[in-house]
Amino acid sequence: MVEPTMHDGWRMDHDKIERGVRLMLAGMGEDPDREGLRETPARVARALEESCAGLCQDPALLFEKSFDVGCHEMVIVRDIPFYSLCEHHLLPFFGVAHVAYLPGEDGRVCGISKLARVVDVFAKRPQVQEQLTRQVADAVMEGVGASGVLVVMEAEHLCMTMRGVRKPGAKTTTSAVRGAFERHDATRAEAMSLIFNGTK
């Protein structure tokens, strides 16, 4: 599987991350050299390289190939799981994304897996959910040449669950609409009904 890489050979600076983690552990009053923590800085560096891989990926590359099928009907992929890091606390938030689009006048569509992949690319970056939702919508709108895009994201934020207000189970829902979904209430309502009620 070819990932949409922006910079071939890119990798995070593990040495800097490891030094930072050691300093953080010492600041917490821990001993970074004790057995249980000795390899933690290296583990954290590897985990961040994986969970923040979207920083080096160009989502536009996902849409280099499209298919001329003469489609002018709505395309929806629901319940795309995602995991991201809140840029305020570097704690995870996770949930599902729903992506709907209307093909452009040329009727070309992208492979449906690309909608899940574009969510992954942007989710694997430190940020806030509101920004993530807008980024996915804009990337699909531009990449597919869509006449309209609607993205809804539902997530639980560990910065609300583990600390602060401590409300486990609370969900944050964000949406972004572009093009035809923005202009036509009935089109937007149809998409929202299919996302949340299925085809029943």
Side-chain angles (χ1 to χ4, degrees):
M1 177 179 66
V2 178
E3 294 293 338
T5 302
M6 188 183 304
H7 304 295
D8 290 336
W10 174 93
R11 69 189 296 270
M12 290 188 180
D13 189 330
H14 284 215
D15 290 339
K16 281 186 179 178
I17 295 172
E18 290 178 32
R19 289 198 301 271
V21 173
R22 283 184 60 83
L23 186 62
M24 181 181 68
L25 290 169
M28 292 164 55
E30 272 285 3
D31 175 10
D33 292 314
R34 72 174 172 84
E35 184 179 359
L37 293 176
R38 199 173 299 140
E39 296 180 29
T40 295
R43 292 189 188 103
V44 171
R46 290 193 299 271
L48 284 173
E49 185 164 49
E50 181 179 347
S51 61
C52 295
L55 289 168
C56 75
Q57 295 174 334
D58 182 357
L61 300 180
L62 292 168
F63 300 106
E64 287 187 329
K65 184 173 183 179
S66 62
F67 305 95
D68 184 3
V69 296
C71 178
H72 298 284
E73 306 300 325
M74 197 179 301
V75 178
I76 301 176
V77 178
R78 298 187 303 166
D79 300 317
I80 302 166
F82 72 89
Y83 299 85
S84 193
L85 282 179
C86 165
E87 66 182 22
H88 297 155
H89 303 98
L90 293 185
L91 288 173
F93 65 95
F94 57 93
V96 293
H98 316 287
V99 180
Y101 77 93
L102 286 166
E105 291 184 8
D106 60 6
R108 298 187 73 87
V109 299
C110 67
I112 56 174
S113 69
K114 300 304 185 284
L115 300 179
R117 289 186 191 281
V118 76
V119 170
D120 275 347
V121 167
F122 286 114
K124 290 182 175 180
R125 301 176 180 187
Q127 61 184 309
V128 295
Q129 183 178 335
E130 295 88 343
Q131 179 185 30
L132 171 58
T133 309
R134 292 195 306 270
Q135 288 174 330
V136 172
D138 290 339
V140 174
M141 188 76 176
E142 183 176 344
V144 180
S147 62
V149 173
L150 183 146
V151 176
V152 178
M153 290 191 157
E154 305 171 272
E156 181 170 351
H157 293 245
L158 292 192
C159 57
M160 281 184 63
T161 298
M162 296 173 58
R163 56 161 299 283
V165 72
R166 291 183 183 157
K167 297 296 181 187
K171 298 282 178 66
T172 299
T173 301
T174 51
S175 66
V177 292
R178 301 290 185 267
F181 289 106
E182 201 169 14
R183 295 190 300 270
H184 305 299
D185 292 345
T187 304
R188 183 168 63 252
E190 179 187 357
M192 295 295 269
S193 176
L194 288 170
I195 286 170
F196 290 110
N197 300 320
T199 55
K200 296 178 182 179

